[in-house]
Amino acid sequence: EVQLVESGGGLVQPGRSLKLSCAASGFTFSNYYMAWVRQAPKKGLEWVATISTSGSRTYYPDSVKGRFTISRDNAKSSLYLQMNSLKSEDTATYYCARPTIAAISTPFAYWGQGTLVTVSS
Amino acid sequence: DIVMTQSPTSMSISVGDRVTMNCKASQNVGSNVDWYQQKTGQSPKLLIYKASNRYTGVPDRFTGSGSGTDFTFTISNMQAEDLAVYYCMQSNSYPRTFGGGTKLELK
């Protein structure tokens, strides 16, 4: 069974950093692109980052480019999101997501339960 | 960036209704649109990929159509368990972008 379990969320002050983790199991992690998608409270979904199977290619929207870094450790079947210079508008539930099949980046067939990040002083 | 505009933003529906919602892309995205369902307090769930392909295990009352810039998602026989917010997302290019969602509520 595919499982994605996010962790690392919490309350953080504006301008500080936070690192999220996603522990994957039930599939060969190294074969899959992975992504982060977030959802601000009572708002819609926003794609945050995607990483290729080897980690050599990463993609971001302008809203987080230069502040967020997606990475992975295939040996540990883990996905990460390093978030720097956090802003109040980064407050959201962050989901880890996996596509349907290997070697493609979408659609997102599997989602974690999410971890809440609150940016506030 | 490609803007995905969903309409309507909400719908009041009854069980048994046929429900249709739309998603319009600001530029041609081919057939690269996926549809997700999100129930209150839950993670999103993939229903339709590449505009018209039903994902594994998704009931056949859910259908998608369209190409280019105009896409439609239909629930043919609304069930109570289908109450949710539905999102389209374009996967034609980066950055991936979602529509604002269509919320289904009981009349």
Side-chain angles (χ1 to χ4, degrees):
Chain A
E1 179 193 4
V2 172
Q3 287 200 344
L4 300 171
V5 180
E6 302 94 338
S7 60
L11 175 64
V12 60
Q13 293 180 327
R16 304 298 290 265
S17 299
L18 199 65
K19 187 173 185 177
L20 306 183
S21 300
C22 172
S25 61
F27 64 101
T28 304
F29 181 75
S30 59
N31 289 349
Y32 289 82
Y33 276 66
M34 295 295 296
W36 290 96
V37 176
R38 69 183 179 183
Q39 185 169 37
K42 300 193 182 303
K43 298 295 185 182
L45 300 170
E46 181 186 14
W47 168 78
V48 171
T50 289
I51 188 167
S52 63
T53 53
S54 66
S56 62
R57 293 185 300 278
T58 57
Y59 307 87
Y60 307 92
D62 286 346
S63 59
V64 308
K65 194 176 295 182
R67 299 189 300 122
F68 289 12
T69 302
I70 188 172
S71 63
R72 64 191 300 159
D73 184 335
N74 286 342
K76 294 184 177 180
S77 296
S78 292
L79 178 72
Y80 306 102
L81 186 67
Q82 176 68 47
M83 304 184 294
N84 299 331
S85 303
L86 282 161
K87 307 174 181 180
S88 58
E89 52 263 42
D90 296 319
T91 294
T93 295
Y94 286 74
Y95 296 101
C96 168
R98 197 209 88 171
T100 48
I101 60 175
I104 62 171
S105 60
T106 55
F108 304 127
Y110 296 93
W111 298 67
Q113 84 289 348
T115 188
L116 178 63
V117 173
T118 303
V119 184
S120 174
S121 55
Chain B
D1 296 2
I2 297 173
V3 177
M4 303 296 284
T5 303
Q6 282 187 250
S7 61
T9 54
S10 65
M11 300 178 72
S12 294
I13 48 82
S14 300
V15 171
D17 282 354
R18 179 182 180 87
V19 176
T20 298
M21 61 189 72
N22 301 292
C23 184
K24 187 172 185 67
S26 60
Q27 56 187 272
N28 189 342
V29 295
S31 295
N32 296 305
V33 168
D34 311 314
W35 290 91
Y36 296 87
Q37 175 194 64
Q38 188 179 32
K39 298 181 180 180
T40 302
Q42 296 185 15
S43 303
K45 175 183 173 183
L46 174 66
L47 297 182
I48 301 288
Y49 64 98
K50 288 203 177 294
S52 60
N53 297 274
R54 202 175 295 116
Y55 184 57
T56 304
V58 174
D60 60 8
R61 65 179 180 273
F62 296 102
T63 57
S65 64
S67 66
T69 60
D70 293 289
F71 300 86
T72 299
F73 176 83
T74 299
I75 307 173
S76 61
N77 178 16
M78 180 75 187
Q79 301 298 301
E81 63 260 33
D82 301 334
L83 290 174
V85 181
Y86 292 82
Y87 296 95
C88 60
M89 186 195 84
Q90 67 82 18
S91 52
N92 188 65
S93 62
Y94 287 103
R96 307 308 194 203
T97 45
F98 287 90
T102 294
K103 184 175 184 179
L104 300 186
E105 300 171 304
L106 275 178
K107 197 174 291 184

